[in-house]
Protein backbone atom coordinates (compact mmCIF):
# COMPACT_ATOMS: atom_id res chain seq x y z
CA UNK A 1 0.00 0.00 0.00
CA UNK A 2 2.79 2.42 0.88
CA UNK A 3 4.45 1.85 -2.52
CA UNK A 4 1.16 2.61 -4.24
CA UNK A 5 0.70 5.75 -2.18
CA UNK A 6 4.22 6.93 -2.95
CA UNK A 7 3.62 6.48 -6.66
CA UNK A 8 0.60 8.77 -6.42
CA UNK A 9 2.38 11.64 -4.71
CA UNK A 10 3.82 13.24 -7.83
CA UNK A 11 0.38 13.44 -9.43
CA UNK A 12 -1.13 14.71 -6.20
CA UNK A 13 1.46 17.46 -5.80
CA UNK A 14 0.18 19.39 -8.81
CA UNK A 15 -3.25 19.57 -7.18
CA UNK A 16 -2.01 21.52 -4.19
CA UNK A 17 0.12 24.12 -5.92
CA UNK A 18 -0.12 27.87 -5.54
CA UNK A 19 -2.90 29.61 -7.39
CA UNK A 20 -5.30 26.66 -7.59
CA UNK A 21 -8.91 27.71 -7.18
CA UNK A 22 -11.17 25.72 -4.90
CA UNK A 23 -13.47 23.50 -6.98
CA UNK A 24 -17.13 24.42 -6.83
CA UNK A 25 -18.34 20.90 -6.07
CA UNK A 26 -17.07 17.56 -4.86
CA UNK A 27 -17.40 16.20 -8.42
CA UNK A 28 -14.78 18.69 -9.62
CA UNK A 29 -12.06 17.23 -7.41
CA UNK A 30 -9.67 14.67 -8.96
CA UNK A 31 -9.91 11.30 -7.22
CA UNK A 32 -7.48 8.72 -5.94
CA UNK A 33 -6.89 6.29 -8.81
CA UNK A 34 -5.23 2.90 -9.44
CA UNK A 35 -5.25 -0.20 -7.27
CA UNK A 36 -5.49 1.90 -4.14
CA UNK A 37 -8.83 3.35 -5.24
CA UNK A 38 -10.77 0.16 -4.43
CA UNK A 39 -9.62 -0.09 -0.83
CA UNK A 40 -11.88 0.75 2.10
CA UNK A 41 -11.50 4.40 3.06
CA UNK A 42 -12.56 3.86 6.67
CA UNK A 43 -10.08 1.01 7.08
CA UNK A 44 -7.26 3.19 5.75
CA UNK A 45 -8.04 6.28 7.83
CA UNK A 46 -9.59 4.63 10.88
CA UNK A 47 -6.46 2.73 11.85
CA UNK A 48 -3.99 5.66 11.80
CA UNK A 49 -3.09 6.86 15.28
CA UNK A 50 -1.30 10.13 14.56
CA UNK A 51 -1.72 13.13 12.26
CA UNK A 52 0.32 13.86 9.15
CA UNK A 53 3.25 16.27 9.45
CA UNK A 54 1.88 18.51 6.72
CA UNK A 55 0.57 22.04 6.58
CA UNK A 56 -3.03 22.10 7.82
CA UNK A 57 -5.48 21.59 4.96
CA UNK A 58 -8.92 19.98 4.65
CA UNK A 59 -9.58 18.21 1.34
CA UNK A 60 -13.01 17.37 -0.04
CA UNK A 61 -16.37 17.74 1.68
CA UNK A 62 -17.53 17.15 5.23
CA UNK A 63 -18.75 13.61 4.42
CA UNK A 64 -16.21 12.69 1.75
CA UNK A 65 -12.72 13.94 2.47
CA UNK A 66 -9.65 13.96 4.72
CA UNK A 67 -7.46 16.37 6.64
CA UNK A 68 -3.74 17.12 6.49
CA UNK A 69 -1.95 18.60 9.47
CA UNK A 70 -4.64 18.02 12.09
CA UNK A 71 -3.72 18.93 15.65
CA UNK A 72 -4.91 17.22 18.82
CA UNK A 73 -7.16 18.92 21.31
CA UNK A 74 -5.37 18.46 24.66
CA UNK A 75 -7.20 15.98 26.83
CA UNK A 76 -7.83 18.58 29.53
CA UNK A 77 -7.68 22.36 29.63
CA UNK A 78 -8.69 25.07 32.03
CA UNK A 79 -12.23 25.12 30.60
CA UNK A 80 -12.70 21.81 28.76
CA UNK A 81 -12.21 18.07 28.76
CA UNK A 82 -12.11 15.79 25.71
CA UNK A 83 -14.38 12.79 26.18
CA UNK A 84 -14.19 9.13 25.04
CA UNK A 85 -10.41 9.32 24.61
CA UNK A 86 -10.20 5.68 23.56
CA UNK A 87 -11.76 6.65 20.21
CA UNK A 88 -8.80 8.94 19.36
CA UNK A 89 -11.15 11.40 17.71
CA UNK A 90 -10.01 14.58 19.47
CA UNK A 91 -8.15 15.83 16.38
CA UNK A 92 -9.06 18.75 14.14
CA UNK A 93 -7.83 21.53 11.97
CA UNK A 94 -6.17 24.32 14.00
CA UNK A 95 -9.15 26.62 13.39
CA UNK A 96 -11.44 24.06 15.04
CA UNK A 97 -9.18 23.55 18.05
CA UNK A 98 -8.97 27.33 18.53
CA UNK A 99 -12.74 27.64 18.17
CA UNK A 100 -13.45 24.98 20.78
CA UNK A 101 -11.09 26.54 23.28
CA UNK A 102 -12.65 29.97 22.68
CA UNK A 103 -16.17 28.60 23.13
CA UNK A 104 -15.20 26.70 26.27
CA UNK A 105 -14.09 29.96 27.88
CA UNK A 106 -17.46 31.49 27.08
CA UNK A 107 -19.21 28.42 28.47
CA UNK A 108 -17.29 28.79 31.73
CA UNK A 109 -19.02 32.14 32.26
CA UNK A 110 -22.50 30.60 32.18
CA UNK A 111 -24.30 29.71 35.43
CA UNK A 112 -23.73 26.05 36.30
CA UNK A 113 -21.01 25.54 33.69
CA UNK A 114 -17.25 25.45 34.24
CA UNK A 115 -16.56 24.78 30.57
CA UNK A 116 -17.30 22.11 27.97
CA UNK A 117 -17.23 18.36 27.58
CA UNK A 118 -16.16 17.88 23.97
CA UNK A 119 -17.03 14.71 22.07
CA UNK A 120 -15.90 13.57 18.64
CA UNK A 121 -14.05 15.99 16.38
CA UNK A 122 -12.17 13.92 13.79
CA UNK A 123 -9.63 11.12 13.41
CA UNK A 124 -5.92 12.05 13.26
CA UNK A 125 -6.08 12.37 9.46
CA UNK A 126 -9.80 12.85 9.14
CA UNK A 127 -11.51 10.63 6.60
CA UNK A 128 -14.34 8.14 7.08
CA UNK A 129 -14.59 6.60 10.55
CA UNK A 130 -14.70 2.93 11.43
CA UNK A 131 -18.00 3.55 13.25
CA UNK A 132 -20.48 6.33 13.77
CA UNK A 133 -20.46 9.56 11.84
CA UNK A 134 -20.81 10.01 8.11
CA UNK A 135 -19.34 13.50 8.43
CA UNK A 136 -16.51 14.71 10.73
CA UNK A 137 -14.03 13.95 7.92
CA UNK A 138 -12.33 17.35 7.51
CA UNK A 139 -11.47 18.26 11.09
CA UNK A 140 -14.11 21.01 10.89
CA UNK A 141 -16.96 19.27 12.78
CA UNK A 142 -17.25 18.79 16.53
CA UNK A 143 -19.82 17.42 18.98
CA UNK A 144 -20.35 19.33 22.22
CA UNK A 145 -22.16 17.62 25.07
CA UNK A 146 -25.37 19.00 26.54
CA UNK A 147 -24.14 17.95 29.99
CA UNK A 148 -22.70 20.96 31.79
CA UNK A 149 -19.01 20.47 32.53
CA UNK A 150 -19.02 20.97 36.27
CA UNK A 151 -16.08 18.63 36.98
CA UNK A 152 -12.98 19.18 34.84
CA UNK A 153 -10.85 16.64 36.72
CA UNK A 154 -12.46 13.50 35.26
CA UNK A 155 -10.07 10.57 34.82
CA UNK A 156 -9.65 8.82 31.48
CA UNK A 157 -11.73 5.94 32.84
CA UNK A 158 -14.51 8.27 33.99
CA UNK A 159 -14.64 9.88 30.57
CA UNK A 160 -15.39 6.47 29.06
CA UNK A 161 -18.28 5.70 31.41
CA UNK A 162 -19.97 9.05 32.06
CA UNK A 163 -22.90 9.91 29.80
CA UNK A 164 -24.32 13.17 28.57
CA UNK A 165 -27.95 14.11 29.20
CA UNK A 166 -30.85 14.18 26.79
CA UNK A 167 -32.58 17.54 26.47
CA UNK A 168 -35.59 16.43 24.40
CA UNK A 169 -39.08 15.04 24.95
CA UNK A 170 -41.83 13.85 22.60
CA UNK A 171 -39.26 12.43 20.16
CA UNK A 172 -37.62 15.82 19.77
CA UNK A 173 -40.69 18.00 19.37
CA UNK A 174 -39.99 19.78 22.65
CA UNK A 175 -37.22 20.37 25.15
CA UNK A 176 -37.40 18.67 28.53
CA UNK A 177 -36.52 19.85 32.04
CA UNK A 178 -32.79 19.38 31.40
CA UNK A 179 -32.86 22.26 28.93
CA UNK A 180 -31.89 25.56 30.55
CA UNK A 181 -31.37 29.16 29.55
CA UNK A 182 -27.64 28.38 29.70
CA UNK A 183 -28.08 25.96 26.80
CA UNK A 184 -29.73 28.75 24.83
CA UNK A 185 -26.87 31.15 25.59
CA UNK A 186 -24.24 28.52 24.80
CA UNK A 187 -25.70 27.78 21.38
CA UNK A 188 -26.10 31.51 20.76
CA UNK A 189 -22.41 32.06 21.51
CA UNK A 190 -21.48 29.04 19.40
CA UNK A 191 -23.48 30.22 16.38
CA UNK A 192 -22.44 33.88 16.66
CA UNK A 193 -18.81 33.08 15.87
CA UNK A 194 -18.15 34.03 12.22
CA UNK A 195 -16.16 30.82 11.69
CA UNK A 196 -19.32 28.72 12.07
CA UNK A 197 -21.23 27.51 9.00
CA UNK A 198 -24.11 25.80 10.84
CA UNK A 199 -25.00 24.00 14.06
CA UNK A 200 -27.21 20.90 14.19
CA UNK A 201 -29.62 20.35 17.07
CA UNK A 202 -32.96 18.57 17.50
CA UNK A 203 -36.00 20.47 16.15
CA UNK A 204 -37.63 21.20 19.49
CA UNK A 205 -34.53 23.01 20.72
CA UNK A 206 -34.50 25.28 17.68
CA UNK A 207 -38.18 26.12 18.17
CA UNK A 208 -37.60 26.76 21.88
CA UNK A 209 -34.76 29.15 21.09
CA UNK A 210 -36.90 30.89 18.46
CA UNK A 211 -39.63 31.41 21.05
CA UNK A 212 -37.28 32.60 23.78
CA UNK A 213 -34.97 34.96 21.85
CA UNK A 214 -36.01 38.59 22.31
CA UNK A 215 -32.87 40.31 20.99
CA UNK A 216 -30.75 39.84 17.89
CA UNK A 217 -32.07 36.84 15.95
CA UNK A 218 -29.47 36.69 13.18
CA UNK A 219 -27.58 33.83 14.84
CA UNK A 220 -30.66 31.59 14.67
CA UNK A 221 -30.11 31.19 10.93
CA UNK A 222 -27.12 28.94 11.62
CA UNK A 223 -29.04 26.68 14.02
CA UNK A 224 -30.41 23.88 11.85
CA UNK A 225 -32.86 21.16 12.98
CA UNK A 226 -31.68 17.60 12.48
CA UNK A 227 -32.52 14.12 13.74
CA UNK A 228 -31.02 13.13 17.08
CA UNK A 229 -28.64 15.76 18.44
CA UNK A 230 -30.27 15.94 21.86
CA UNK A 231 -27.34 14.58 23.90
CA UNK A 232 -24.99 16.91 22.06
CA UNK A 233 -25.05 19.64 19.45
CA UNK A 234 -22.89 19.49 16.34
CA UNK A 235 -20.81 22.50 15.27
CA UNK A 236 -19.61 22.74 11.67
CA UNK A 237 -17.07 25.37 10.67
CA UNK A 238 -16.73 26.86 7.21
CA UNK A 239 -13.69 25.99 5.13
CA UNK A 240 -10.80 28.17 6.33
CA UNK A 241 -9.69 31.01 4.03
CA UNK A 242 -7.22 29.74 1.45
CA UNK A 243 -8.21 26.07 1.84
CA UNK A 244 -8.17 25.40 -1.90
CA UNK A 245 -9.36 21.79 -1.77
CA UNK A 246 -12.16 22.25 0.77
CA UNK A 247 -15.82 22.21 -0.28
CA UNK A 248 -18.26 24.32 1.72
CA UNK A 249 -21.93 23.48 2.01
CA UNK A 250 -24.33 25.96 0.50
CA UNK A 251 -25.17 28.60 3.13
CA UNK A 252 -28.41 28.19 5.07
CA UNK A 253 -31.49 29.84 3.53
CA UNK A 254 -32.11 33.49 4.36
CA UNK A 255 -34.03 34.30 7.52
CA UNK A 256 -33.99 32.84 11.01
CA UNK A 257 -35.23 29.37 9.94
CA UNK A 258 -37.83 29.25 12.69
CA UNK A 259 -40.74 28.39 10.41
CA UNK A 260 -38.76 25.49 8.97
CA UNK A 261 -37.98 24.19 12.47
CA UNK A 262 -41.66 24.43 13.40
CA UNK A 263 -42.51 22.36 10.31
CA UNK A 264 -40.12 19.65 11.57
CA UNK A 265 -41.90 19.70 14.93
CA UNK A 266 -45.31 19.50 13.26
CA UNK A 267 -44.18 16.43 11.35
CA UNK A 268 -42.97 14.81 14.56
CA UNK A 269 -46.31 15.42 16.30
CA UNK A 270 -48.44 14.56 13.26
CA UNK A 271 -46.38 12.41 10.91
CA UNK A 272 -47.54 12.53 7.29
CA UNK A 273 -48.84 9.22 5.93
CA UNK A 274 -46.24 7.12 4.14
CA UNK A 275 -46.11 7.44 0.36
CA UNK A 276 -46.96 3.98 -1.05
CA UNK A 277 -45.24 4.92 -4.31
CA UNK A 278 -42.00 6.02 -2.74
CA UNK A 279 -39.04 3.98 -4.02
CA UNK A 280 -37.23 1.81 -1.50
CA UNK A 281 -34.15 3.56 -0.14
CA UNK A 282 -30.93 2.38 -1.68
CA UNK A 283 -28.39 0.93 0.75
CA UNK A 284 -25.39 3.17 1.23
CA UNK A 285 -22.20 1.94 -0.34
CA UNK A 286 -19.09 1.98 1.82
CA UNK A 287 -16.68 4.67 0.67
CA UNK A 288 -13.48 3.59 -1.02
CA UNK A 289 -10.31 5.61 -1.36
CA UNK A 290 -11.34 6.21 -4.96
CA UNK A 291 -14.29 8.25 -3.69
CA UNK A 292 -11.95 10.69 -1.94
CA UNK A 293 -9.97 13.61 -3.39
CA UNK A 294 -6.57 12.70 -4.81
CA UNK A 295 -4.83 14.76 -2.10
CA UNK A 296 -5.95 12.16 0.42
CA UNK A 297 -3.32 9.77 -0.98
CA UNK A 298 -0.60 12.13 0.19
CA UNK A 299 -2.31 12.55 3.55
CA UNK A 300 -2.24 8.79 4.03
CA UNK A 301 1.39 8.45 2.88
CA UNK A 302 2.82 11.37 4.86
CA UNK A 303 4.86 10.88 8.02
Amino acid sequence: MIRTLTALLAATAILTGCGEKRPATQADLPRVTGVLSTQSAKAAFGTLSFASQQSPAPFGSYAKGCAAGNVQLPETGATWQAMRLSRNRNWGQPVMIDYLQDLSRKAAQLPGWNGLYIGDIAQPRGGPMLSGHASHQLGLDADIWMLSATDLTLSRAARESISSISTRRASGAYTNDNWTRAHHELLKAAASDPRVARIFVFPGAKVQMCNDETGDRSWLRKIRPWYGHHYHFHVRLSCPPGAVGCINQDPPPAGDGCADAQAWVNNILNPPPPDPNAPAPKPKRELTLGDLPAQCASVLAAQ
Side-chain angles (χ1 to χ4, degrees), residues 241-255:
V244 296
C246 183
I247 304 298
N248 276 309
Q249 281 185 269
D250 291 336

Side-chain angles (χ1 to χ4, degrees), residues 94 189 224:
R224 312 306 300 175

Side-chain angles (χ1 to χ4, degrees), residues 61-115:
S61 64
Y62 299 95
K64 194 180 291 184
C66 62
N70 270 348
V71 295
Q72 191 173 30
L73 177 72
E75 294 179 5
T76 298
T79 51
W80 78 85
Q81 284 200 294
M83 310 303 283
R84 303 292 192 264
L85 295 171
S86 64
R87 296 178 179 179
N88 198 27
R89 295 177 180 176
N90 57 322
W91 298 80
Q93 289 288 285
V95 64
M96 174 54 85
I97 303 306
D98 289 343
Y99 170 85
L100 291 170
Q101 293 175 347
D102 290 344
L103 183 62
S104 74
R105 287 186 282 270
K106 294 175 183 177
Q109 299 172 21
L110 296 172
W113 294 66
N114 292 327

Side-chain angles (χ1 to χ4, degrees), residues 9-60:
L9 292 183
T12 304
I14 65 172
L15 302 172
T16 57
C18 295
E20 182 193 6
K21 295 182 179 180
R22 178 175 59 80
T25 67
Q26 182 82 25
D28 294 328
L29 290 174
R31 297 284 194 272
V32 174
T33 58
V35 175
L36 188 68
S37 67
T38 63
Q39 297 190 16
S40 166
K42 70 179 183 181
F45 281 94
T47 55
L48 295 170
S49 61
F50 58 93
S52 67
Q53 296 180 27
Q54 298 170 295
S55 297
F59 297 116

Side-chain angles (χ1 to χ4, degrees), residues 1-15 31-37 39 294-302:
M1 177 176 175
I2 295 299
R3 287 196 299 272
T4 308
L5 286 168
T6 303
L8 287 167
L9 292 183
T12 304
I14 65 172
L15 302 172
R31 297 284 194 272
V32 174
T33 58
V35 175
L36 188 68
S37 67
Q39 297 190 16
Q295 295 99 324
C296 293
S298 67
V299 174
L300 280 174

